[in-house]
Amino acid sequence: MEHPRADAPYPDRRSPARAFRQDFRNVTPSGMTLAEAASVMGLARKHPASDPVAVYLHIPFCRSICAFCIFRSVIAPAPRIAQYVQALRKEIALYGGTEYAASSSVGSVYLGGGTPSLLTAESLAGLLTTLRAFLRFADGAEVTVEASPSSVDAAKLTAWRAAGANRLSFGVQTLSDRLGGVLGLPQRSGEALDALRLARGAGFDNVDIDLLYNIPTQSMEEWRDTLDRALEAGPEQMSLYPLNPAPHSLMARMIEMGQLPPPGPVTLEVDMYWAAKSLLESAGYVQYAPTNFTRLPPERRHGVLSRHCAEGGLLALGACAHGRLNNYRYRNLKDVGDYLHALAAGRLPVGSGQSLSRGESLSAHFTAAIRVGVVDIRQFRERFGLAPAEAFPDSLDRCIQKGLIRLAEGGLSLTEEGRLWWKGVQSEFRSDPPAG
Ligand code: SF4
């Protein structure tokens, strides 16, 4: 991989950040009983309502599979999707009967996938009704639905809004029809722009769009053109990601067989990043995280980050969903059939999990906090009993030396270069979790 400069801090920006231990313990191929889950996740304990919980619901279905897809999505007929929604409602009810859920307050709900917009309006309303029946929503709780522009219409959007959804995240990816073909997107660019207009008409005033850059064969001019058209449409937030085709995706196979060139060199990717940042900031957007730009005031800057940053925990529901409750990280069963089977048997579909060590908790807290703002050193010490420099002496020193993190006014934050090389920064803190 070509470096952008001789002093680039990491070889590339694409490799996923190293996760904590991958070898989840307590693998349970048929799910867990409620009692087993309650014991490892602390579900019998009260949770302070002042520490809101994020809820994530995973909808693993798509109408077609995009060429680059990195997610675990399947194509399923409507009855299978309806069956899945019933199982999700059962999973909500199982958690909802615990002391943990009874005492918690929900700060945000995110329906992701997959393509949640494939759900019928009734299914989506049913899910939100079940959530509200079992969990207390905080005032102003944000309810986001991830949507494909090709699977929404005015009636559906109006029904979602009436059911309590107040934020949309559209998977637009590109506004070039040529590149849409390269990506194998289900929609044309005109459909994506129409979807944004329909969202406005349905009363949504918080719309995020995802865009990909450094798509194979994409030129800088095409990237700028997509950004210009997106700015014209005026979403409240934009999330920009360099394309990283999944290893077993159709796109990866086409690249391997020489039918498609790979994404451009990292120099082009970095140029595209800076070009986008400059265009968006000139148009009044503020970068509030390495991949996220907004024109909303700070109190409304949420985005996809809340589920990673929620200090109160993440209640993740649905096949293959990853969550974290009371310092226990878990992953639900990946296979939809296994997931349905576990719930039919009255078991929680938790497939595997592990308690985070103190070092992993410190790393998770630090990286989540610095991703979206400033880590206050005094507060960190009060909470964990040691300063960040004591918790991560090597990683922090390396990042400061490389100019990726700065210390100012009692806090640590990412520099502009640190945002650009965020995945490398994140890996530094995960590869060397402190003993604490
Ligand atoms: S819409 Fe998203 S989840 Fe579905 S196939 Fe395309 S990239 Fe994958």
Side-chain angles (χ1 to χ4, degrees), residues 59 61-73 113-115 146 148 171 173 183-186:
I59 310 294
F61 306 111
C62 289
R63 186 170 284 160
S64 57
I65 303 299
C66 303
F68 62 97
C69 185
I70 54 170
F71 305 105
R72 191 183 168 91
S73 285
T115 309
E146 232 174 50
S148 164
Q173 319 307 0
L183 294 171
L185 297 182

Side-chain angles (χ1 to χ4, degrees), residues 283-305:
Y285 287 75
V286 172
Q287 185 176 18
Y288 71 101
T291 51
N292 306 84
F293 294 81
T294 185
R295 57 187 183 83
L296 292 174
E299 63 278 11
R300 294 188 67 201
R301 285 175 198 172
H302 165 271
V304 293
L305 298 168

Side-chain angles (χ1 to χ4, degrees), residues 143-160:
V143 179
T144 302
V145 182
E146 232 174 50
S148 164
S150 66
S151 58
V152 295
D153 56 37
K156 204 180 233 189
L157 290 167
T158 304
W160 291 354

Side-chain angles (χ1 to χ4, degrees), residues 24 32 40-41 54 56 91 95 314-318 320-325 327-333 349-355:
F24 275 110
M32 283 184 184
V40 292
M41 297 180 186
Y56 175 75
E91 191 184 2
Y95 278 105
L314 169 64
L315 172 58
L317 306 156
C320 204
H322 293 48
R324 174 179 46 83
L325 296 176
N327 240 13
Y328 184 83
R329 287 173 68 229
Y330 67 93
R331 183 167 59 202
N332 273 354
L333 295 163
V350 177
S352 53
Q354 67 187 24
S355 293

Side-chain angles (χ1 to χ4, degrees), residues 88-103:
L88 258 179
R89 293 176 78 167
K90 189 163 179 183
E91 191 184 2
I92 296 167
L94 284 174
Y95 278 105
T98 64
E99 189 62 40
Y100 177 90
S103 53

